[in-house]
Amino acid sequence: MPNLDLVVREIADEMRQRRDRGEVATYIPELACIDAQAFGLAVIGVDGRVAAAGDSDTAFSIQSISKVFTLTLALGKIGDRLWRRVGREPSGSPFNSIVQLERERGVPRNPFINAGAIAVTDVILSGHQPREALGEILRFMQFVADDPSITIDEAVAASEQRTGFRNIALANYMKSFDALDNPVDFTLGVYFHHCAISMSCRQLAMAGRFLAHLGRNPTTGHSVVQPERARRINAVMLTCGHYDGSGEFAYRVGLPGKSGVGGGGILAISPGKASIAVWSPGLDANGNSHLGRVALEALSKRMGWSIFGA
Ligand code: GLU
């Protein structure tokens, strides 16, 4: 069995030397100035061992990775009825695409494209004030990560709220099909804020442990979701977690994963083995962390973790 500590350190060293770092996203002004040289990797085994290297304790904007946790919460609230509000098929479209929505009459293709995540946020918001819904999402994140220090970066949320015209358009368009229950401003306010949760690789890998371990926190034994639900969330991450780059990610890495465009992070799950978080702000053409994907490909290969075999 390869030595996980060594593999993680080797990969971080290799990534530090690479020049192909991708392009940092600029569409959220507050995030445009992140250091493209940053790189962090943290792996938490289901046996509790931690292997981390690089900037693994530096907090970054998790952006769309938060959608894994809002999906988990919304399924907890309304169960399989959620699938009437949002599909679970890969979109083959960019993260903020509007084209499919017209054909599909306001029902987004999956919970991880922006339109789908906005619909999921709307489900969590129903029956609450935006502040309560946001508090619930943040507390859930703190619970699964076992870390009450996790916060929301208000400057990032405000920056996206000022400039997120595409998301505002998506939400209004869905509202025109009656596909949102709450006022558009309320749903978007909660959405922008949960995307602005700030976490380090280590905190994020901690938060993902339940998905690697049949829905339970392997350290405390607390159940977060039933094993069947963890399996299904992993399935949606595998097929939809990287937007129109999901096929390429499955082909190269072979693990369920969810990327965040703005911050450049990826959460990946090796079922039964480990929860992994990687951060490198430069993106590839599909808006996924370039070196994050390269590092995960190396990790999965060297540890023999691809779900498709060696
Ligand atoms: N807040 C970002 C947006 O809605 C999330 C996108 C992402 O990180 O993939 O555009």
Side-chain angles (χ1 to χ4, degrees):
M1 184 67 176
N3 179 312
L4 178 63
D5 275 315
L6 199 65
V7 169
V8 163
R9 259 184 282 128
E10 273 170 11
I11 292 173
D13 284 344
E14 288 162 22
M15 295 306 122
R16 201 165 298 128
Q17 284 160 34
R18 286 186 63 142
R19 295 185 167 214
D20 55 325
R21 305 196 84 82
E23 295 292 322
V24 172
T26 52
Y27 77 102
I28 301 177
E30 189 71 21
L31 292 176
C33 49
I34 328 177
D35 177 11
Q37 298 303 313
F39 179 87
L41 176 61
V43 182
I44 307 199
V46 294
D47 56 2
R49 72 201 159 123
V50 180
D55 304 307
S56 57
D57 287 311
T58 306
F60 62 93
S61 193
I62 67 166
Q63 290 297 320
S64 281
I65 303 171
S66 62
K67 297 171 183 175
V68 173
F69 301 91
T70 50
L71 171 64
T72 306
L73 264 181
L75 283 169
K77 278 183 185 292
I78 65 168
D80 283 344
R81 279 183 294 138
L82 183 71
W83 303 118
R84 293 189 206 147
R85 300 283 305 270
V86 63
R88 48 174 190 261
E89 291 295 339
S91 70
S93 303
F95 69 110
N96 55 5
S97 170
I98 203 164
V99 287
Q100 276 167 352
L101 265 184
E102 177 162 35
R103 228 175 301 123
E104 295 172 355
R105 306 201 53 77
V107 178
R109 186 64 76 91
N110 69 60
F112 291 155
I113 50 172
N114 285 6
I118 291 168
V120 168
T121 302
D122 191 62
V123 167
I124 297 172
L125 175 58
S126 285
H128 300 282
Q129 291 301 315
R131 188 175 289 278
E132 293 164 359
L134 196 56
E136 184 179 4
I137 296 168
L138 185 61
R139 278 192 303 278
F140 181 64
M141 197 57 113
Q142 294 169 337
F143 165 67
V144 286
D146 263 335
D147 191 335
S149 73
I150 294 165
T151 54
I152 293 171
D153 186 330
E154 287 292 339
V156 172
S159 180
E160 193 174 5
Q161 207 142 16
R162 269 195 309 274
T163 56
F165 301 113
R166 180 71 77 110
N167 286 324
I168 295 167
L170 285 168
N172 278 295
Y173 199 51
M174 281 193 280
K175 188 77 175 171
S176 76
F177 287 106
D178 268 339
L180 294 182
D181 293 334
N182 298 285
V184 166
D185 285 0
F186 284 17
T187 303
L188 279 176
V190 177
Y191 172 77
F192 289 141
H193 279 80
H194 76 63
C195 285
I197 292 175
S198 193
M199 290 168 80
S200 67
C201 287
R202 192 184 297 262
Q203 290 171 321
L204 202 50
M206 290 287 274
R209 287 170 302 175
F210 73 97
L211 292 171
H213 191 247
L214 303 169
R216 280 177 183 278
N217 176 324
T219 310
T220 61
H222 288 149
S223 171
V224 180
V225 294
Q226 291 298 309
E228 184 185 47
R229 182 156 293 161
R231 174 165 56 81
R232 289 182 157 160
I233 294 169
N234 284 334
V236 182
M237 286 171 76
L238 182 80
T239 52
C240 311
H242 281 73
Y243 308 115
D244 41 348
S246 298
E248 183 72 2
F249 189 82
Y251 179 82
R252 291 191 175 274
V253 178
L255 295 173
K258 180 74 203 87
S259 68
V261 174
I266 303 175
L267 172 68
I269 303 297
S270 174
K273 300 200 173 69
S275 169
I276 308 153
V278 64
W279 174 48
S280 174
L283 308 178
D284 63 21
N286 292 321
N288 300 308
S289 169
H290 171 60
L291 286 189
R293 200 266 298 142
V294 173
L296 287 171
E297 182 176 359
L299 180 72
S300 156
K301 189 166 171 189
R302 291 177 208 179
M303 296 306 296
W305 280 352
S306 167
I307 61 171
F308 301 110

